[in-house]
Amino acid sequence: MRRKMAAGNWKMNGLRAQLGELDDLGSAHPNASCDIVICPPATLVAPAVARTKDSTVSIGGQDCHTQVKGAHTGDVSAPMLADAGVTYIITGHSERRQDHHETDDDVSAKTQAVWAAGLTSILCIGESKAQREADETLDVIARQLAASVPQDASADNLVIAYEPIWAIGTGLVPTPEQIDEVHKFMRATLQDRFGDQIGNGIRLLYGGSVNAGNASTIFTIADVDGALVGGASLKSSDFSQIISALEHSNA
Ligand code: PEP
């Protein structure tokens, strides 16, 4: 039985004043039956960890360097994030792949850095609009899974988020059938590569314009173990509704 996960990615949003959202989230879900993760910007990681010390909310980083330390101005390493108290680090988000030209090899190296630091990677993959329209979605997913996911994957160190690029921040969401097709394909691919125990244990999230209105429908899809949420994770009142929908899907 895979434990469900609701992960929020604040991206480059949030000043210290926003940390109160974490208090509200923790108090709204004191006995959460799913994992709740917030990935704030790097400046807020340490205070967010302190703020959630006694709560059901875990904190994650949004990215890390492949190296442990060195002359890489502006970058943050996985051991630094671990030292600050995170449990998770997002790797391969499409905004990093686009804005910073990160390749599957980079994502694989970053994911290995996350694992070496003893943390869990929330690894993102997903097709562009042009690839979806050209009917290349499953080929893209197969390629990204093969090249971005390192060999030492386990149910504990890896969560995969299927995030179609065209659905991120656009209000567009794939049909349940389209999400179902990709999640089934990811599950079968992971089973083939890692065997049934690991392949069945790795959690698969859907991400892309998830909100309080569409979450319940998305969470009925068999291989969807939760969501990676951008915009709707910024306010605890919105994210809390998504968490509740996920908890009810457990029942
Ligand atoms: C994301 O950036 O991972 C994301 C899913 O964003 P949004 O929910 O805003 O589409």
Side-chain angles (χ1 to χ4, degrees):
M1 186 67 178
R2 294 180 295 271
R3 188 169 163 86
K4 305 268 166 95
M5 172 182 283
N9 173 15
W10 282 5
K11 310 191 185 190
M12 199 172 72
N13 296 292
L15 302 174
R16 274 181 299 170
Q18 195 163 343
L19 291 169
E21 299 293 332
L22 299 174
D23 303 340
D24 297 343
L25 210 51
S27 349
H29 302 278
N31 303 304
S33 61
C34 62
D35 289 339
I36 303 172
V37 184
I38 291 288
C39 302
T43 49
L44 293 184
V45 163
V49 167
R51 198 99 174 203
T52 53
K53 188 163 53 69
D54 299 316
S55 109
T56 49
V57 180
S58 301
I59 301 301
Q62 296 179 10
D63 174 53
C64 66
H65 198 275
T66 57
Q67 303 295 309
V68 166
K69 62 180 178 165
H72 303 289
T73 302
D75 281 317
V76 177
S77 75
M80 289 170 176
L81 286 163
D83 186 53
V86 309
T87 318
Y88 300 90
I89 300 181
I90 297 172
T91 54
H93 192 283
S94 60
E95 287 155 13
R96 301 272 336 157
R97 291 178 187 259
Q98 281 175 339
D99 297 355
H100 299 272
H101 313 291
E102 288 186 9
T103 63
D104 285 327
D105 284 349
D106 296 328
V107 177
S108 175
K110 287 182 177 212
T111 303
Q112 289 180 66
V114 172
W115 295 350
L119 304 173
T120 297
S121 167
I122 301 175
L123 193 159
C124 304
I125 58 176
E127 82 285 3
S128 67
K129 186 165 185 287
Q131 289 165 332
R132 166 64 67 178
E133 285 170 357
D135 210 12
E136 292 170 3
T137 298
L138 297 186
D139 293 337
V140 171
I141 296 299
R143 257 197 330 265
Q144 290 183 332
L145 281 178
S148 315
V149 178
Q151 198 48 40
D152 292 333
S154 75
D156 291 331
N157 68 17
L158 182 65
V159 176
I160 295 178
Y162 167 54
E163 297 210 310
I165 297 167
W166 53 273
I168 294 179
T170 58
L172 301 172
V173 180
T175 63
E177 292 72 26
Q178 288 172 324
I179 297 175
D180 185 47
E181 180 186 38
V182 174
H183 277 243
K184 277 207 179 88
F185 180 77
M186 293 195 294
R187 179 68 64 212
T189 304
L190 293 169
Q191 287 165 339
D192 277 354
R193 178 166 164 198
F194 297 110
D196 280 353
Q197 200 181 338
I198 293 175
N200 287 331
I202 294 171
R203 291 178 285 181
L204 303 179
L205 310 183
Y206 167 76
S209 295
V210 176
N211 59 39
N214 59 27
S216 314
T217 305
I218 292 169
F219 295 150
T220 60
I221 302 168
D223 265 301
V224 172
D225 301 314
L228 178 56
V229 182
S233 72
L234 292 171
K235 285 215 172 71
S236 60
S237 50
D238 294 336
F239 196 42
S240 182
Q241 291 181 64
I242 294 172
I243 295 166
S244 297
L246 187 58
E247 293 190 295
H248 285 125
S249 76
N250 266 337

